[in-house]
Amino acid sequence: MRYESITEAIGNTPLVRIDPAVHGLRHIDLYAKLELLNPFGSVKDRAAWNMARPGLAAAAEHGSQVVELSSGNTAKALAVIAGMHGLPFKSVTNRMRIPEIKDLLLLLGADIEELPGQSECLDPTNTEDPLTLFHRELSEPGSSYLHTDQYFNPRNTEAHATGTGPEIVKDLDGRAPDWFVACVGTAGSSTGVARVLREHDPRVRVVGLVAAKSDFIPGIRTLDEVHEVGLFDPATYDTVESVGSDEAIEGMLTLARRCGILAGPTGGAAYYGTVRHLRSIDEELTYSQSVESDGETGDAGPRRSAVFIVCDRIESYLSYTKRRRPDLFRQPPRRNDPADLTDAEVAAAPAVDVPDARKWIERDRPLVVDLRSPFAYAALHIEGAINIVDQLFDELVRGGLPFSTRQPVLLVCPVGEQSARYAALLTRMGHPEVRSLSGGVIAWRDAGAPLVRD
Ligand SMILES: Cc1ncc(COP(=O)(O)O)c(C=O)c1O
């Protein structure tokens, strides 16, 4: 294979059969579409190239900056593509949560602009999401940026309708699989592939996978967030199911250790979600075929097939994995993890509403801990509050109680959800007087209580 440019190596990724001894399904052949083997490392290489390509010549002429709202694989691919065309690239995001990817983007020469998301309420008196405002500015006519706009750009979906989907059909000898399973981020890959597969066979069942509520699997949305994505159409999926981060890591380990596929967490989630979805279907097939073979026909029936997408590679997620599974790195097991709380514990977390919180602050001077991002805190916060961003707070509690038990503590976050989890956790750890501010900074603002700016 000889290419004139690395971009020609995007696509045509292998479809690899997973050993049935690993997945245990008796009647279904399971195939992994290895998007991790794209040249910049992920499924997003296709979308990035397809979205950027038409604008590159004009951007080079005007010296425009390439911009995308991405903190992951799209940004990585665009940083490379922009660099190859002599253009600067800026990644705009509300928080870079994967340090390896942030470092890689910097290494590739990207500019990173971190804006708070709406839920972090940069300015609680302004209900507009800073990212939405930025998105609007980028999309205005006459914008000097080359904005690839992955959440709304039909060329994102098209990259998969012309590439990924047809490749799967070709590798299955002109047939669509019986099931297609994909994680949903922008929804571009699942939508584009599903469209092509259904054209070949309308009976294909499409399963979309998202992260479980209040969980985090880098690159994909949670059940709550998925409806906010411009390209997401519920009609694309026969079902949308959620996978937890622990399950994603389990899947990732199986793919890496037993199949030789060095997938990242969404590849693991896709494998785990596919096998989980198909297990009972496979059992039904076993049952119906045993009934048939006892009877007249003895027909074992045709084998079924399923395809899932492996979006990217494992290497960027070592710290993500270590945080959740220190045992895999020969470190002591995680302690004091809010993910281990039961729903009942969170529901019973000590909380205080705004009027009572104001009286409590006046009377007992609790330590007010604001868990939002430094941007949001700097814009407006409760007077006297200290800022410990949630990620850092998470680290602190792993080491034990971060405050004296004699110090009353009021935890504050955007809407009172995260603070409730930490209040439940600190209570479980033995703190006698910790409370969560019900409704968070939003409720404080709505009650007209004072906020200060640094
Ligand atoms: C690691 C990872 N997995 C899955 C996806 C989902 O792909 P899509 O945006 O096409 O829905 C993404 C998208 O960014 C991703 O980065």
Side-chain angles (χ1 to χ4, degrees):
M1 261 173 281
R2 178 172 152 170
Y3 300 117
E4 293 303 313
S5 161
I6 188 70
T7 53
E8 291 172 18
I10 296 173
N12 289 313
T13 54
L15 189 69
V16 172
R17 185 164 178 260
I18 304 291
D19 184 349
V22 175
H23 60 69
L25 303 171
R26 296 175 58 187
H27 306 281
I28 305 171
D29 290 320
L30 190 53
Y31 293 94
K33 177 70 172 158
L34 298 191
E35 290 301 298
L36 79 168
L37 295 180
N38 277 302
F40 318 132
S42 87
V43 68
K44 305 304 296 198
D45 294 9
R46 297 179 190 257
W49 178 229
N50 202 45
M51 293 186 297
R53 199 176 38 198
L56 286 170
E61 202 180 308
H62 303 116
S64 308
Q65 187 173 40
V66 181
V67 180
E68 183 52 274
L69 273 65
S70 160
S71 54
N73 285 314
T74 311
K76 197 201 292 183
L78 284 171
V80 178
I81 292 167
M84 286 172 65
H85 292 81
L87 297 169
F89 170 71
K90 177 154 78 173
S91 158
V92 183
T93 165
N94 58 17
R95 204 186 300 170
M96 286 266 169
R97 293 176 70 177
I98 302 295
E100 292 92 335
I101 295 188
K102 184 171 183 174
D103 282 349
L104 182 55
L105 284 175
L106 292 170
L107 201 68
L108 292 171
D111 236 0
I112 298 177
E113 183 163 338
E114 290 181 90
L115 293 175
Q118 182 171 34
S119 61
E120 292 201 291
C121 28
L122 167 75
D123 177 351
T125 59
N126 180 358
T127 50
E128 285 274 31
D129 180 354
L131 274 178
T132 310
L133 289 174
F134 194 79
H135 184 266
R136 201 176 298 154
E137 187 188 316
L138 288 174
S139 313
E140 266 162 18
S143 156
S144 59
Y145 296 108
L146 168 52
H147 176 211
T148 40
D149 203 10
Q150 61 166 343
Y151 287 100
F152 293 91
N153 191 338
R155 292 185 67 86
N156 174 357
T157 309
E158 185 194 79
H160 303 285
T162 55
T164 327
E167 289 168 24
I168 292 172
V169 173
K170 180 170 149 275
D171 287 336
L172 293 178
D173 302 322
R175 288 180 297 111
D178 297 281
W179 292 272
F180 168 63
V181 186
C183 289
V184 183
T186 64
S189 51
S190 43
T191 308
V193 172
R195 188 184 300 158
V196 170
L197 299 184
R198 286 213 174 96
E199 277 163 17
H200 273 266
D201 186 347
R203 290 169 304 177
V204 61
R205 314 297 290 171
V206 177
V207 181
L209 295 173
V210 291
K213 214 171 152 49
S214 62
D215 204 343
F216 172 55
I217 302 179
I220 60 174
R221 302 245 137 190
T222 64
L223 209 46
D224 292 333
E225 294 162 342
V226 76
H227 295 276
E228 296 160 14
V229 178
L231 297 174
F232 178 79
D233 175 1
T236 300
Y237 310 92
D238 293 287
T239 166
V240 174
E241 297 177 2
S242 62
V243 179
S245 49
D246 287 347
E247 295 167 336
I249 291 172
E250 266 322 306
M252 189 173 95
L253 287 179
T254 304
L255 288 178
R257 292 180 174 183
R258 301 204 55 203
C259 308
I261 296 175
L262 298 183
T266 60
Y271 171 74
Y272 189 96
T274 307
V275 176
R276 184 183 62 189
H277 182 85
L278 295 178
R279 198 169 288 127
S280 58
I281 297 170
D282 190 60
E283 279 163 18
E284 273 170 37
L285 288 171
T286 304
Y287 174 74
S288 62
Q289 290 177 11
S290 70
V291 170
E292 273 183 17
S293 56
D294 284 347
E296 295 287 297
T297 67
D299 181 4
R303 285 191 70 74
R304 316 293 166 102
S305 60
V307 171
F308 66 96
I309 294 193
V310 177
C311 292
D312 72 352
R313 303 183 60 86
I314 198 168
E315 289 87 344
S316 300
Y317 305 101
L318 296 181
S319 55
Y320 170 86
T321 309
K322 192 182 274 182
R323 231 179 132 85
R324 283 159 178 81
R325 289 288 305 275
D327 55 302
L328 296 171
F329 298 84
R330 317 248 154 100
Q331 291 186 352
R334 66 185 180 189
R335 302 193 306 144
N336 307 328
D337 190 329
D340 297 337
L341 292 164
T342 63
D343 290 346
E345 275 177 301
V346 178
V352 58
D353 63 14
V354 173
D356 286 345
R358 294 182 72 177
K359 286 185 217 144
W360 190 37
I361 292 173
E362 204 49 48
R363 195 182 57 236
D364 294 339
R365 307 245 154 250
L367 178 66
V368 182
V369 180
D370 188 327
L371 299 164
R372 297 173 305 151
S373 74
F375 311 99
Y377 170 84
L380 281 173
H381 56 261
I382 295 171
E383 187 162 18
I386 60 162
N387 182 214
I388 308 180
V389 65
D390 54 0
Q391 241 165 328
L392 184 59
F393 197 75
D394 208 77
E395 292 290 333
L396 284 176
V397 292
R398 275 160 210 262
L401 269 179
F403 313 108
S404 153
T405 49
R406 286 192 298 276
Q407 169 67 62
V409 177
L410 175 63
L411 298 176
V412 179
C413 73
V415 291
E417 266 175 29
Q418 212 173 22
S419 55
R421 292 197 85 78
Y422 284 116
L425 185 65
L426 293 192
T427 304
R428 186 207 257 189
M429 291 164 70
H431 199 290
E433 211 180 356
V434 58
R435 290 182 200 161
S436 156
L437 178 66
S438 299
V441 179
I442 298 273
W444 185 274
R445 168 200 70 188
D446 291 348
L451 289 159
V452 296
R453 190 181 297 267
D454 266 350

